[in-house]
Amino acid sequence: MDPNHNPEKDCLLRHSRFHLAFENSQDAGYATEKLWGALKMGAVPVVWGDAAARVRPLLPAPEAAIFADDFSSDVELASYIARVRACVSK
């Protein structure tokens, strides 16, 4: 049995457009299943953590994840997510 498999979480992610994939640590290169689980279920992960440089080249597309550290403020990040949501809704 896979300890990282959570059917309830998978179901929730499958019905979500975005997932806050905030890591528990800012250690260099630290990344967990949070990002990959969201991608697997079709949600766009919003990533907070130091993994951006290591993870970006592995993404299926450049826009497959949103990295919180790319924005100067939480307000700017939230505004971007709202714009992405509006584009996806059309």
Side-chain angles (χ1 to χ4, degrees):
M1 178 169 195
D2 180 359
N4 290 321
H5 180 73
N6 183 328
E8 291 83 9
K9 182 178 178 182
D10 288 351
C11 182
L12 179 65
L13 287 172
R14 199 174 298 115
H15 292 88
S16 301
R17 290 192 180 153
F18 301 96
H19 172 63
L20 295 179
F22 289 8
E23 295 297 353
N24 299 326
S25 171
Q26 283 285 342
D27 289 344
Y30 181 81
T32 64
E33 80 291 345
K34 294 175 180 79
L35 170 105
W36 307 112
L39 288 173
K40 177 179 147 188
M41 292 296 119
V44 176
V46 179
V47 181
W48 178 81
D50 188 59
R54 189 175 128 224
V55 168
R56 281 182 209 267
L58 304 174
L59 292 173
E63 66 279 357
I66 299 169
F67 292 89
D69 290 341
D70 289 348
F71 300 88
S72 61
S73 70
D74 296 343
V75 172
E76 186 181 330
L77 171 61
S79 176
Y80 179 76
I81 292 169
R83 287 194 312 274
V84 170
R85 184 179 183 275
C87 289
V88 172
S89 297
K90 292 181 180 180

